[in-house]
Every structure is written in C-alpha cells, then in structure tokens.
Amino acid sequence: MDPQPRVSQSHIARSLGISQALVSKILNGRRERIKPETYEAVWAHAVKVGYRPKGMTPHTTVAVGGNRQIGIVLRSGLQPFLASNFFSHVQAGLHRSLLARGYAMVMLGTEDTIDFSDPGPIPPALIVLGAVDPKFLRSLRGLTRRIVSIMGSYPGLCHTVRPNETQSVELLVEHLAGLGHQRFGWIGGLPDYPNHKTRFDTLQTALQVHGLPPIPDSAVVNTPDAADRHEGREAIMQLLARPGPPPTAVISFNGVMARGAVNALHQSGWKIPAQLSIAAIDATRACVEEEPHITCASSAPEKLGETAANLLFETTGWADEDYQNIMLSAQLRLGTTTGPVASAPVSRAPRKRRQAT
C-alpha cells in the first residue's frame, strides 16, 4: 500500500481559512493570545486529516505552564475533540472538575499517533480514554506514573474508573422481562472492541439468570466498522429481514445505534414499542436528544470523568499496590421505546436478580 501523502500546515490553514503562521503556532503547542476554540479546532482538523509533525510527539501540544495541565490520550480510532458521543460526556465531566482546580486539559493524541521516540516535556498527569493495548500503557508509564484510565482495566499499572456494565445490562433485562419479553435480539458494532464483547457476554449471562433463552445467532447483528446511527439503521433492518419470528425486544450496544434503529423503524411503519421494544446500554444525550426517548441503563459518563479527576488529585501514593479500580453504579432511565409484549401480562414484581458486582 502506498503511504499517505504528508499533510502540510499550509493545507490545514487553507482548509480552515486562517493564516499558516497561526496554524504553526498552535501545532507547536503555543496558546498565548489564541482563543481556546481556535486551538482545539486546529488540532481536531489536524488529527482528522492525518497531520503528524515528526510523529505527533506528546510534547507538541503542551503549552507554556504545563504544570497546570492534565494530558488526555485517547484509544486508537478516536479523534481529539471529535471523540465519540460517550467520551464527549466523559470529557465534559473531566473539564468541569479540572477547571474547578485551576487545571486545563491538553490533548496529546491517540494510541496510534503518539510517537515515544522524542517524548519531551509532558503534563504531570495523564487521563487515558478507552481501552488501550497494555504495551502502550507501559510506554506511557515511562513518561509518568500518574495515570488514570477510563474504561480500561490494568491491574498494577494505573488507577482505573469504569461503569458497572453488569449492573447496566441486568437492569435492562429485569425491566424487559417484567414486561413479558422472552425473545431478545442484539445490534452492535465493532465486535473486536473489548467493551462490545463484555456487554454482549454479560447480556447472555443476565438472560440465563432470569430463566430466559439466550439470544440465538439469528437474532444478532454486529456491524464491523462502526457503531453509529447509520450502523444502527442497517443492523435493525437486517435483523428484522431474517426468517422466523422476530425478537420482541432488541438491546443495542449503545445509544447512537439505538437512535438510528428507532428512526429506521418509524420510517418503515413499525410501532414502537407496541410491535418492538428498543433499549440501549448507554446514558448519553443520544437517548434523550429527540423523541422518542430511548430506555437505557448505564453509569453516568460525566461522573466517570469527575471520578478520574478526583483520583488524580486526591491520591497521595502512586506505588503499584496503591492503584484503585473504581466501578460506578448504573441507573435505569425509562423512555418510551419499551413496553409490554402484545397480549402479555406485565409482572408486578420483577424476578429477583443476583447482586451486581
């Protein structure tokens, strides 16, 4: 495969309609007399088009006064300031907590763009968003031991903050089982992503705990490249086109896929939830930004960001044995996309479920 052509600073300047001199200052980490929104927009576009100044070393985005900054690193596939719907909520919680302490976030890059051959100065502490390769995390530890991971799990390497995925799934299954649902379906994306496998496997276990049959392969649709609205639309229509009785309730990997599925169903004449209930393992704006509101369950992503910031500032010891693995409780948020199975009585008392871990 031929290498991608190098993106120049002048190309970025023309695309954004600003001067090359301003772009050069920003891509060399200078913030003096530069509006924060301009700084972020330039870096967002630079990463989007593949700009890499000598490999995009971590120190290229560290401004003067870096001791008052916290570095942000994202997993492979995400883009700084254009992160996923979920991580934009996480970053909002981080921003509020850091701002209250007089600190600012500085985006260092992503797992697949950071080059450790010339580390230079970096902020005193790092937040890692998303599950990354442990080898990459060990490289970060070569720069600083003060690291908190959000969504990952790295015993003995750093602090971690995660949502209680088991509790999220069990809340949804308990709710839907109480409405009389027994035939479940699943739509998901990025099946190789660890969090995807965790949620699906947990769902199958929760169904078993409630005495319900597992989801058969015929009721599972996973899109290979993404987990967004378009994939949600494609997945739900593919699922319902298959032969045999359709599921009465479908659980989505996240809220944006669920939103795409709900919109596609409405356009196709399906009545939600009279004919099909839709729920999501999520707690982001995608579930409530338009009607109908989507039934969902998850830990609050903003709270993940706040908790990670607290760990950075409230932890005094950073020896390996002091690292904490914090799991935040989940909440069920009822929308109007779930309802009783047609002609099925609604259970007044949900079946007893096992204690979430």
Side-chain angles (χ1 to χ4, degrees), residues 75-163:
R75 69 166 173 83
S76 176
L78 295 180
Q79 297 179 2
F81 305 105
L82 294 175
S84 70
N85 181 65
F86 173 81
F87 281 116
S88 65
H89 285 261
V90 174
Q91 287 179 250
L94 268 172
H95 175 72
R96 285 196 300 267
S97 295
L98 295 177
L99 188 63
R101 293 176 168 89
Y103 280 74
M105 296 190 302
V106 56
M107 194 63 63
L108 301 184
T110 62
E111 180 182 9
D112 52 351
T113 60
I114 290 181
D115 181 4
F116 294 96
S117 62
D118 181 20
I122 65 165
L126 303 177
I127 299 283
V128 178
L129 301 183
V132 299
D133 190 312
K135 293 181 180 179
F136 174 77
L137 186 63
R138 291 180 188 277
S139 296
L140 289 180
R141 279 168 55 89
L143 303 177
T144 178
R145 292 295 183 95
R146 198 167 184 174
I147 300 173
V148 176
S149 166
I150 299 178
M151 293 301 289
S153 180
Y154 311 100
L157 293 179
C158 68
H159 289 303
T160 60
V161 182
R162 295 184 295 158

Coordinates of all heavy atoms in Angstrom, one line a residue, residues 75-163:
R75 N -7.9 6.2 23.0 CA -7.6 4.9 22.4 C -7.6 5.1 20.9 O -8.1 6.1 20.3 CB -8.7 3.9 22.8 CG -10.1 4.2 22.2 CD -11.0 3.0 22.3 NE -12.3 3.2 21.9 CZ -12.8 3.2 20.6 NH1 -11.9 3.0 19.7 NH2 -14.0 3.4 20.4
S76 N -7.0 4.1 20.2 CA -6.9 4.1 18.8 C -8.3 4.2 18.2 O -9.3 3.6 18.6 CB -6.3 2.8 18.3 OG -6.3 2.7 16.9
G77 N -8.4 5.0 17.1 CA -9.7 5.2 16.4 C -10.5 6.4 16.8 O -11.4 6.8 16.0
L78 N -10.2 7.0 17.9 CA -10.9 8.2 18.3 C -10.1 9.4 17.9 O -8.9 9.3 17.6 CB -11.1 8.3 19.8 CG -12.0 7.2 20.5 CD1 -12.1 7.4 22.0 CD2 -13.4 7.3 19.8
Q79 N -10.7 10.6 17.8 CA -10.1 11.8 17.4 C -10.2 12.9 18.4 O -11.3 13.1 19.0 CB -10.7 12.3 16.1 CG -10.5 11.3 14.9 CD -11.2 11.9 13.6 OE1 -11.7 13.0 13.6 NE2 -11.2 11.1 12.6
P80 N -9.1 13.6 18.8 CA -9.2 14.6 19.8 C -10.2 15.7 19.4 O -10.3 16.1 18.3 CB -7.8 15.2 19.7 CG -6.9 14.1 19.3 CD -7.7 13.4 18.3
F81 N -11.1 16.0 20.4 CA -12.1 17.0 20.3 C -13.2 16.6 19.3 O -14.2 17.3 19.1 CB -11.6 18.4 19.9 CG -10.5 18.8 20.9 CD1 -9.2 18.8 20.5 CD2 -10.8 19.2 22.1 CE1 -8.2 19.2 21.4 CE2 -9.9 19.6 23.0 CZ -8.5 19.6 22.6
L82 N -13.1 15.4 18.7 CA -14.2 14.8 17.9 C -14.4 13.4 18.4 O -14.6 12.5 17.6 CB -13.8 14.8 16.4 CG -13.6 16.2 15.8 CD1 -13.1 16.0 14.3 CD2 -14.9 17.0 15.7
A83 N -14.4 13.3 19.7 CA -14.5 11.9 20.3 C -15.9 11.4 20.1 O -16.8 12.1 19.7 CB -14.1 12.0 21.7
S84 N -16.1 10.2 20.5 CA -17.4 9.5 20.4 C -18.4 10.3 21.3 O -18.1 11.0 22.2 CB -17.3 8.1 20.8 OG -17.1 8.0 22.2
N85 N -19.7 10.0 21.0 CA -20.8 10.5 21.8 C -20.5 10.3 23.3 O -20.7 11.1 24.2 CB -22.1 9.9 21.4 CG -23.3 10.5 22.1 OD1 -23.6 11.7 22.0 ND2 -23.9 9.6 22.9
F86 N -20.1 9.1 23.7 CA -19.9 8.7 25.0 C -18.7 9.5 25.6 O -18.8 10.1 26.7 CB -19.6 7.2 25.1 CG -19.1 6.7 26.5 CD1 -20.1 6.5 27.5 CD2 -17.8 6.5 26.7 CE1 -19.7 6.0 28.7 CE2 -17.4 6.1 28.0 CZ -18.3 5.8 29.0
F87 N -17.6 9.5 24.9 CA -16.4 10.2 25.5 C -16.5 11.7 25.5 O -15.8 12.3 26.3 CB -15.1 9.7 24.8 CG -14.6 8.4 25.2 CD1 -14.6 7.3 24.3 CD2 -14.2 8.1 26.5 CE1 -14.2 6.1 24.7 CE2 -13.8 6.9 26.9 CZ -13.8 5.9 26.0
S88 N -17.4 12.2 24.7 CA -17.6 13.7 24.8 C -18.3 14.0 26.2 O -18.0 15.0 26.8 CB -18.5 14.2 23.7 OG -19.8 13.6 23.7
H89 N -19.1 13.1 26.7 CA -19.7 13.3 28.0 C -18.6 13.1 29.1 O -18.6 13.9 30.1 CB -20.8 12.3 28.2 CG -22.1 12.6 27.5 ND1 -23.2 13.2 28.2 CD2 -22.5 12.3 26.3 CE1 -24.2 13.3 27.3 NE2 -23.8 12.8 26.1
V90 N -17.8 12.1 28.9 CA -16.7 11.9 29.9 C -15.8 13.2 29.9 O -15.4 13.6 31.0 CB -15.9 10.7 29.5 CG1 -14.6 10.5 30.4 CG2 -16.7 9.4 29.5
Q91 N -15.4 13.7 28.8 CA -14.6 14.9 28.7 C -15.3 16.1 29.4 O -14.6 16.9 30.0 CB -14.2 15.2 27.3 CG -13.2 14.2 26.7 CD -12.8 14.6 25.3 OE1 -13.2 13.8 24.4 NE2 -12.1 15.6 25.1
A92 N -16.6 16.2 29.3 CA -17.3 17.3 29.9 C -17.1 17.2 31.4 O -16.9 18.2 32.1 CB -18.8 17.3 29.5
G93 N -17.3 16.0 32.0 CA -17.1 15.8 33.4 C -15.6 16.1 33.8 O -15.4 16.7 34.9
L94 N -14.7 15.7 33.0 CA -13.3 16.0 33.3 C -13.0 17.5 33.3 O -12.4 18.0 34.2 CB -12.4 15.3 32.2 CG -11.9 13.9 32.5 CD1 -11.2 13.4 31.2 CD2 -10.9 14.0 33.6
H95 N -13.5 18.1 32.3 CA -13.3 19.6 32.1 C -13.8 20.4 33.4 O -13.1 21.2 33.9 CB -14.0 20.1 30.9 CG -13.9 21.6 30.7 ND1 -12.7 22.2 30.3 CD2 -14.8 22.5 30.8 CE1 -12.9 23.5 30.2 NE2 -14.2 23.7 30.5
R96 N -15.0 20.0 33.8 CA -15.6 20.7 35.0 C -14.7 20.6 36.2 O -14.4 21.5 36.9 CB -17.0 20.3 35.2 CG -18.1 20.8 34.2 CD -19.5 20.6 34.8 NE -19.7 19.2 35.1 CZ -20.3 18.3 34.2 NH1 -20.7 18.8 33.0 NH2 -20.6 17.1 34.5
S97 N -14.3 19.3 36.4 CA -13.5 19.0 37.6 C -12.1 19.7 37.6 O -11.6 20.2 38.6 CB -13.4 17.5 37.8 OG -14.7 16.9 38.1
L98 N -11.5 19.6 36.4 CA -10.2 20.2 36.3 C -10.3 21.7 36.4 O -9.4 22.4 37.0 CB -9.5 19.8 35.0 CG -9.2 18.3 34.8 CD1 -8.7 18.0 33.4 CD2 -8.3 17.8 35.9
L99 N -11.3 22.3 35.7 CA -11.4 23.8 35.8 C -11.6 24.3 37.2 O -11.1 25.3 37.6 CB -12.6 24.2 34.9 CG -12.8 25.7 34.7 CD1 -11.6 26.2 33.9 CD2 -14.1 25.9 33.9
A100 N -12.3 23.5 38.0 CA -12.6 23.9 39.4 C -11.3 23.9 40.2 O -11.2 24.7 41.2 CB -13.6 23.0 40.0
R101 N -10.3 23.2 39.7 CA -9.0 23.1 40.4 C -7.9 24.0 39.8 O -6.8 24.0 40.1 CB -8.5 21.7 40.5 CG -9.3 20.8 41.3 CD -8.8 19.3 41.2 NE -9.4 18.4 42.2 CZ -10.5 17.7 42.0 NH1 -11.2 17.8 40.9 NH2 -11.0 17.0 43.0
G102 N -8.3 24.7 38.7 CA -7.4 25.6 38.0 C -6.5 24.9 37.0 O -5.5 25.4 36.6
Y103 N -7.0 23.7 36.6 CA -6.2 23.0 35.6 C -7.0 23.0 34.2 O -8.2 23.2 34.2 CB -6.0 21.5 36.0 CG -4.9 21.4 37.0 CD1 -5.0 21.8 38.3 CD2 -3.6 20.8 36.6 CE1 -4.0 21.7 39.3 CE2 -2.6 20.7 37.5 CZ -2.8 21.1 38.8 OH -1.8 21.0 39.7
A104 N -6.3 22.7 33.2 CA -6.8 22.6 31.8 C -6.5 21.3 31.2 O -5.4 20.7 31.6 CB -6.4 23.7 30.9
M105 N -7.3 20.8 30.3 CA -7.0 19.6 29.6 C -6.2 20.0 28.4 O -6.4 21.0 27.7 CB -8.3 18.9 29.1 CG -9.2 18.4 30.2 SD -10.5 17.3 29.5 CE -11.3 18.4 28.3
V106 N -5.2 19.1 28.0 CA -4.4 19.3 26.8 C -4.4 18.0 26.1 O -4.1 16.9 26.7 CB -3.0 19.8 27.0 CG1 -2.2 18.9 28.0 CG2 -2.2 20.0 25.7
M107 N -4.8 17.9 24.8 CA -4.9 16.7 24.1 C -3.5 16.3 23.5 O -2.9 17.1 22.7 CB -5.9 16.9 22.9 CG -6.3 15.6 22.3 SD -7.2 14.5 23.4 CE -8.7 15.4 23.8
L108 N -3.0 15.2 23.9 CA -1.7 14.7 23.4 C -1.8 13.9 22.2 O -0.8 13.8 21.5 CB -1.0 13.9 24.5 CG -0.8 14.6 25.9 CD1 -0.1 13.8 26.8 CD2 -0.1 16.0 25.6
G109 N -2.9 13.3 21.9 CA -3.1 12.5 20.7 C -3.8 11.2 21.0 O -4.4 11.0 22.1
T110 N -3.6 10.2 20.1 CA -4.3 8.9 20.3 C -3.3 7.8 20.3 O -2.1 8.0 20.0 CB -5.3 8.7 19.1 OG1 -4.5 8.6 17.9 CG2 -6.3 9.8 19.0
E111 N -3.8 6.6 20.7 CA -2.9 5.5 20.8 C -2.1 5.2 19.6 O -0.9 4.7 19.7 CB -3.8 4.3 21.2 CG -3.1 3.0 21.4 CD -4.0 1.8 21.7 OE1 -5.2 2.0 21.6 OE2 -3.5 0.7 22.0
D112 N -2.7 5.4 18.4 CA -2.0 5.1 17.2 C -1.3 6.3 16.5 O -0.8 6.2 15.4 CB -3.0 4.5 16.2 CG -4.2 5.4 16.0 OD1 -4.4 6.3 16.7 OD2 -5.0 5.1 15.1
T113 N -1.2 7.4 17.2 CA -0.5 8.6 16.6 C 0.7 9.1 17.5 O 1.6 9.8 17.0 CB -1.4 9.8 16.4 OG1 -2.0 10.2 17.7 CG2 -2.5 9.4 15.4
I114 N 0.7 8.7 18.8 CA 1.8 9.2 19.6 C 3.1 8.5 19.3 O 3.1 7.3 19.3 CB 1.4 9.1 21.1 CG1 0.3 10.1 21.4 CG2 2.6 9.3 22.0 CD1 -0.2 10.0 22.9
D115 N 4.1 9.2 19.2 CA 5.5 8.7 19.0 C 6.3 8.9 20.2 O 6.5 10.1 20.7 CB 6.1 9.4 17.8 CG 7.5 8.8 17.4 OD1 7.9 7.9 18.1 OD2 8.1 9.4 16.5
F116 N 6.9 7.8 20.8 CA 7.6 8.0 22.0 C 9.1 8.1 21.8 O 9.9 8.1 22.7 CB 7.4 6.7 22.9 CG 6.0 6.6 23.4 CD1 5.1 5.8 22.7 CD2 5.6 7.3 24.5 CE1 3.8 5.7 23.2 CE2 4.3 7.2 25.0 CZ 3.4 6.4 24.3
S117 N 9.5 8.3 20.5 CA 11.0 8.4 20.3 C 11.6 9.7 20.7 O 12.8 9.9 21.0 CB 11.2 8.2 18.8 OG 10.6 9.2 18.0
D118 N 10.7 10.8 20.9 CA 11.2 12.1 21.3 C 10.1 12.7 22.3 O 9.4 13.6 21.9 CB 11.4 13.0 20.1 CG 11.9 14.4 20.5 OD1 12.4 14.5 21.6 OD2 11.7 15.3 19.7
P119 N 10.0 12.1 23.5 CA 8.9 12.5 24.4 C 8.9 13.9 24.8 O 7.8 14.5 24.8 CB 9.1 11.6 25.6 CG 10.6 11.2 25.6 CD 11.0 11.2 24.1
G120 N 10.0 14.5 25.1 CA 10.0 15.9 25.5 C 9.2 16.1 26.8 O 8.8 15.1 27.5
P121 N 8.9 17.3 27.2 CA 8.1 17.6 28.4 C 6.7 17.2 28.2 O 6.1 17.4 27.2 CB 8.3 19.1 28.7 CG 8.5 19.6 27.3 CD 9.3 18.6 26.6
I122 N 6.0 16.7 29.2 CA 4.6 16.4 29.2 C 4.0 16.9 30.5 O 4.6 17.2 31.4 CB 4.4 14.9 29.0 CG1 4.8 14.1 30.2 CG2 5.0 14.3 27.7 CD1 4.3 12.7 30.3
P123 N 2.6 16.9 30.5 CA 2.0 17.3 31.8 C 2.3 16.3 32.9 O 2.7 15.2 32.6 CB 0.5 17.3 31.4 CG 0.4 17.5 29.9 CD 1.7 16.8 29.4
P124 N 2.1 16.7 34.1 CA 2.4 15.9 35.2 C 1.6 14.7 35.4 O 1.9 13.7 36.2 CB 2.3 16.8 36.4 CG 1.3 17.9 36.0 CD 1.6 18.1 34.6
A125 N 0.4 14.6 34.8 CA -0.5 13.5 34.9 C -1.3 13.3 33.6 O -1.5 14.3 32.9 CB -1.5 13.7 36.1
L126 N -1.8 12.1 33.4 CA -2.4 11.7 32.2 C -3.8 11.0 32.5 O -3.9 10.3 33.4 CB -1.6 10.8 31.3 CG -0.2 11.3 30.9 CD1 0.5 10.2 30.2 CD2 -0.3 12.5 30.1
I127 N -4.7 11.3 31.6 CA -6.0 10.5 31.6 C -6.1 9.8 30.3 O -5.9 10.4 29.2 CB -7.2 11.5 31.7 CG1 -7.2 12.2 33.0 CG2 -8.5 10.7 31.5 CD1 -7.6 11.5 34.2
V128 N -6.3 8.5 30.3 CA -6.4 7.7 29.1 C -7.9 7.3 28.9 O -8.5 6.7 29.8 CB -5.6 6.4 29.2 CG1 -5.7 5.5 28.0 CG2 -4.1 6.7 29.4
L129 N -8.4 7.7 27.8 CA -9.8 7.4 27.5 C -10.0 6.2 26.6 O -9.5 6.2 25.4 CB -10.5 8.6 26.8 CG -10.5 10.0 27.6 CD1 -11.2 11.1 26.8 CD2 -11.0 9.8 29.0
G130 N -10.6 5.2 27.1 CA -10.8 4.0 26.3 C -9.8 2.9 26.6 O -8.7 3.2 27.1
A131 N -10.1 1.7 26.2 CA -9.2 0.5 26.4 C -8.1 0.6 25.4 O -8.3 0.7 24.2 CB -10.0 -0.8 26.3
V132 N -6.8 0.6 25.9 CA -5.7 0.6 25.0 C -4.8 -0.7 25.3 O -5.0 -1.4 26.2 CB -4.8 1.8 25.3 CG1 -5.6 3.1 25.0 CG2 -4.3 1.8 26.7
D133 N -3.9 -0.9 24.4 CA -3.0 -2.1 24.5 C -2.1 -1.8 25.7 O -1.6 -0.8 25.9 CB -2.1 -2.2 23.3 CG -1.3 -3.5 23.2 OD1 -0.7 -3.8 24.2 OD2 -1.3 -4.1 22.2
P134 N -2.0 -2.9 26.6 CA -1.2 -2.7 27.8 C 0.3 -2.3 27.5 O 0.9 -1.6 28.3 CB -1.2 -4.1 28.4 CG -2.5 -4.7 28.0 CD -2.7 -4.2 26.6
K135 N 0.8 -2.7 26.3 CA 2.1 -2.3 25.9 C 2.2 -0.8 25.8 O 3.2 -0.1 26.1 CB 2.5 -3.0 24.6 CG 2.7 -4.5 24.8 CD 3.2 -5.1 23.5 CE 3.4 -6.6 23.6 NZ 3.8 -7.2 22.3
F136 N 1.1 -0.2 25.2 CA 1.1 1.3 25.0 C 1.0 1.9 26.4 O 1.7 2.9 26.6 CB -0.2 1.6 24.2 CG -0.4 3.1 24.1 CD1 0.4 3.9 23.2 CD2 -1.4 3.7 24.9 CE1 0.2 5.3 23.1 CE2 -1.6 5.1 24.8 CZ -0.8 5.9 23.9
L137 N 0.2 1.4 27.3 CA 0.1 2.0 28.6 C 1.5 1.9 29.3 O 1.9 2.9 30.0 CB -0.9 1.2 29.5 CG -1.2 1.8 30.8 CD1 -1.8 3.2 30.7 CD2 -2.2 0.9 31.6
R138 N 2.2 0.8 29.2 CA 3.6 0.7 29.8 C 4.5 1.8 29.2 O 5.3 2.3 29.9 CB 4.1 -0.7 29.6 CG 3.4 -1.7 30.3 CD 4.0 -3.1 30.1 NE 3.2 -4.2 30.7 CZ 3.2 -4.5 32.0 NH1 4.1 -3.9 32.8 NH2 2.5 -5.5 32.4
S139 N 4.3 2.1 27.9 CA 5.1 3.2 27.3 C 4.8 4.5 28.0 O 5.7 5.4 28.3 CB 4.9 3.3 25.8 OG 5.4 2.1 25.2
L140 N 3.5 4.8 28.2 CA 3.1 6.0 28.9 C 3.7 6.0 30.3 O 4.1 7.1 30.8 CB 1.5 6.1 29.0 CG 0.8 6.4 27.7 CD1 -0.7 6.4 28.0 CD2 1.2 7.7 27.0
R141 N 3.7 4.9 31.0 CA 4.3 4.9 32.3 C 5.8 5.2 32.3 O 6.3 5.6 33.4 CB 4.1 3.5 32.9 CG 2.7 3.3 33.5 CD 2.5 1.8 33.8 NE 3.5 1.2 34.7 CZ 3.5 1.2 36.0 NH1 2.5 1.8 36.7 NH2 4.5 0.7 36.7
G142 N 6.4 5.1 31.2 CA 7.8 5.5 31.1 C 7.9 7.1 31.1 O 9.0 7.6 31.3
L143 N 6.8 7.8 30.9 CA 6.8 9.2 30.9 C 6.3 9.7 32.2 O 6.8 10.8 32.7 CB 5.9 9.7 29.8 CG 6.2 9.3 28.4 CD1 5.2 9.8 27.4 CD2 7.6 9.8 28.0
T144 N 5.3 9.1 32.8 CA 4.8 9.4 34.1 C 4.0 8.3 34.7 O 3.4 7.5 34.0 CB 3.8 10.7 34.1 OG1 3.3 10.9 35.4 CG2 2.7 10.4 33.1
R145 N 4.1 8.1 36.0 CA 3.3 7.0 36.7 C 1.9 7.5 37.1 O 1.1 6.7 37.5 CB 4.1 6.5 37.9 CG 5.4 5.8 37.6 CD 5.1 4.5 36.9 NE 6.3 3.7 36.6 CZ 6.8 2.8 37.4 NH1 6.1 2.5 38.5 NH2 7.9 2.1 37.1
R146 N 1.7 8.8 37.0 CA 0.4 9.4 37.5 C -0.6 9.3 36.3 O -0.8 10.3 35.6 CB 0.6 10.8 37.9 CG -0.5 11.3 38.8 CD -0.1 12.6 39.5 NE -1.1 13.1 40.4 CZ -1.0 14.1 41.2 NH1 0.2 14.8 41.2 NH2 -2.0 14.4 42.0
I147 N -1.2 8.2 36.2 CA -2.1 7.9 35.1 C -3.4 7.3 35.6 O -3.4 6.5 36.5 CB -1.5 6.9 34.1 CG1 -0.2 7.4 33.5 CG2 -2.5 6.5 32.9 CD1 0.6 6.4 32.7
V148 N -4.5 7.8 35.0 CA -5.9 7.2 35.3 C -6.5 6.8 34.0 O -6.5 7.6 33.1 CB -6.8 8.2 36.1 CG1 -8.2 7.6 36.3 CG2 -6.2 8.6 37.4
S149 N -6.9 5.5 34.0 CA -7.6 5.0 32.8 C -9.1 5.0 33.0 O -9.6 4.6 34.0 CB -7.1 3.6 32.5 OG -8.0 3.0 31.5
I150 N -9.8 5.5 32.0 CA -11.3 5.4 32.0 C -11.7 4.4 30.9 O -11.4 4.5 29.8 CB -11.9 6.8 31.7 CG1 -11.5 7.8 32.7 CG2 -13.4 6.7 31.6 CD1 -12.0 9.2 32.5
M151 N -12.4 3.4 31.4 CA -12.9 2.2 30.6 C -12.0 1.1 30.5 O -12.4 0.0 30.2 CB -13.4 2.7 29.2 CG -14.5 3.6 29.2 SD -16.0 2.9 30.0 CE -16.5 1.7 28.8
G152 N -10.7 1.2 30.7 CA -9.8 0.1 30.7 C -9.6 -0.6 32.0 O -10.2 -0.2 33.0
S153 N -8.9 -1.7 32.1 CA -8.6 -2.4 33.3 C -7.2 -2.9 33.2 O -6.9 -3.8 32.5 CB -9.6 -3.6 33.4 OG -9.4 -4.3 34.7
Y154 N -6.4 -2.3 34.1 CA -4.9 -2.6 34.1 C -4.4 -2.8 35.5 O -3.8 -1.9 36.0 CB -4.1 -1.5 33.3 CG -4.8 -1.1 32.0 CD1 -5.6 0.0 31.9 CD2 -4.6 -1.9 30.9 CE1 -6.1 0.4 30.7 CE2 -5.1 -1.5 29.7 CZ -5.9 -0.4 29.6 OH -6.5 -0.1 28.4
P155 N -4.7 -4.0 36.1 CA -4.2 -4.2 37.5 C -2.7 -4.0 37.6 O -1.9 -4.5 36.8 CB -4.6 -5.6 37.8 CG -5.7 -5.9 36.8 CD -5.4 -5.1 35.6
G156 N -2.3 -3.2 38.6 CA -0.9 -3.0 38.9 C -0.3 -2.0 38.0 O 0.9 -1.7 38.2
L157 N -1.0 -1.4 37.1 CA -0.4 -0.4 36.2 C -0.8 1.0 36.4 O -0.1 2.0 36.3 CB -0.6 -0.8 34.7 CG 0.0 -2.1 34.2 CD1 -0.4 -2.3 32.7 CD2 1.5 -2.0 34.3
C158 N -2.1 1.2 36.7 CA -2.6 2.6 36.9 C -4.0 2.5 37.6 O -4.6 1.4 37.7 CB -2.7 3.3 35.6 SG -4.0 2.7 34.5
H159 N -4.5 3.6 38.1 CA -5.8 3.7 38.5 C -6.8 3.5 37.4 O -6.5 3.9 36.2 CB -6.1 5.1 39.1 CG -5.4 5.4 40.4 ND1 -5.6 4.6 41.5 CD2 -4.6 6.3 40.8 CE1 -4.9 5.1 42.6 NE2 -4.3 6.1 42.1
T160 N -8.0 2.9 37.6 CA -9.0 2.8 36.6 C -10.3 3.2 37.1 O -10.7 3.0 38.3 CB -9.0 1.3 36.1 OG1 -9.4 0.4 37.2 CG2 -7.7 0.9 35.5
V161 N -11.2 3.7 36.2 CA -12.5 4.1 36.5 C -13.4 3.5 35.4 O -13.1 3.7 34.2 CB -12.7 5.6 36.6 CG1 -14.2 5.9 36.9 CG2 -11.8 6.2 37.6
R162 N -14.4 2.7 35.8 CA -15.2 2.0 34.8 C -16.7 2.1 35.2 O -17.0 2.2 36.4 CB -14.8 0.6 34.7 CG -13.4 0.3 34.1 CD -13.1 -1.1 33.9 NE -13.1 -1.8 35.2 CZ -13.3 -3.1 35.4 NH1 -13.6 -3.9 34.3 NH2 -13.3 -3.7 36.6
P163 N -17.6 2.0 34.2 CA -19.0 1.8 34.6 C -19.3 0.4 34.9 O -18.6 -0.5 34.6 CB -19.7 2.2 33.2 CG -18.7 1.8 32.2 CD -17.4 2.1 32.8

